[in-house]
């Protein structure tokens, strides 16, 4: 409980906190993490979608066209590799976010039960042809909690995202840079198994890989009163379609969902 309270305290004071699966997880959830890592290598990294890009970068050629249009050519989320939405069976990735320690941290940070959205597994590779920073590699604030059309800087905003590092990540492999609540820039480096808790309503950037690759899993815990959970056309639903892509297929008739207690089911509920 001491580690959990420290993370909540750091989030409130700085907007960012760091931990590790060995500090917060029991054997069951460490196994989920290992399954997620294996899944990402076998079902994502070792696919032609990713390997064709790596070959292009190594030969200083333009990035190959993909099955969908995306400005972030260097970024390979799960739906680019799987060509479908993620399910509860896909490497236990979604199950990670039901960990009791994570729920205590998220609920403690918000002061009430929160919900989960935008569970993503993705791979970042060096920008093709040595292009400069692009998209989320530039400073930005995330907007899942507000009307993105009118967003402005506000240090009182809370938007909690949790990253799992599937690979070792440093400045050369795309570590996130964050402007914390004390107006200091920090770099979120960490070894495999590192967990970062970040209030991404504040300025941050990441994924600018200069060598090798970055593999992470991300989930967004949202206050049930968040604007986009109540007013937007997509985040109201857990399994929403984005730009014609089915990004999630976390079904309530799945055995894992049915095994969850009331708190766990609320986490995955529509608004």
């Amino acid at each position: 409980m001491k580690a959990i309270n420290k993370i909540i305290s750091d989030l409130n004071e700085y907007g960012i906190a760091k931990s590790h699966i060995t500090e917060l997880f029991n054997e069951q959830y460490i196994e989920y993490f290992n399954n997620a890592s294996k899944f990402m290598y076998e079902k994502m990294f070792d696919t032609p979608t990713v390997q064709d890009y790596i070959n292009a970068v190594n030969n200083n050629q333009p990035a190959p066209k993909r099955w969908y249009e995306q400005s972030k050519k260097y970024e390979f989320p799960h739906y680019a590799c799987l060509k479908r939405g993620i399910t509860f069976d896909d490497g236990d990735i979604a199950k990670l976010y039901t960990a009791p320690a994570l729920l205590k941290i998220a609920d403690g940070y918000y002061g009430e039960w929160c919900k989960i959205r935008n569970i993503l597994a993705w791979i970042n590779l060096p920008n093709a042809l040595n292009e400069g920073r692009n998209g989320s590699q530039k400073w930005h604030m995330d907007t899942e909690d507000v009307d993105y059309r009118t967003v402005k800087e506000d240090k009182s905003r809370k938007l909690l995202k949790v990253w799992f590092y599937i690979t070792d990540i440093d400045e050369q492999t795309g570590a996130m840079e964050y402007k914390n609540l004390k107006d200091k820039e920090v770099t979120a480096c960490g070894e495999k198994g590192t967990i970062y808790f970040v209030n991404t309503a504040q300025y941050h950037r990441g994924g600018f890989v200069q060598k090798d690759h970055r593999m992470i899993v991300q989930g967004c815990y949202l206050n049930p009163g968040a604007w986009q959970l109540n007013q937007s056309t997509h985040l109201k639903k857990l399994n929403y379609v984005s730009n014609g892509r089915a990004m999630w297929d976390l079904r309530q008739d799945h055995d894992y969902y049915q095994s969850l207690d009331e708190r766990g089911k609320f986490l995955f509920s529509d608004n």
Side-chain angles (χ1 to χ4, degrees), residues 43 73 108 148 184 194 211 219 221:
K43 303 299 183 181
K73 296 177 181 179
Y148 65 90
K184 293 184 178 180
T194 295
K211 67 175 184 179
Y221 290 107

Side-chain angles (χ1 to χ4, degrees), residues 215-235:
M215 294 175 63
I216 59 174
V217 173
Q218 174 215 286
C220 178
Y221 290 107
L222 277 171
N223 183 319
W227 186 89
Q228 287 206 39
L229 278 182
N230 294 278
Q231 302 296 327
S232 73
T233 58
H234 55 280
L235 279 184

Side-chain angles (χ1 to χ4, degrees), residues 9-21:
S9 176
D10 285 350
L11 279 169
N12 283 319
E13 185 171 1
Y14 303 106
I16 186 169
K18 181 182 180 181
S19 187
H20 194 275
I21 58 172

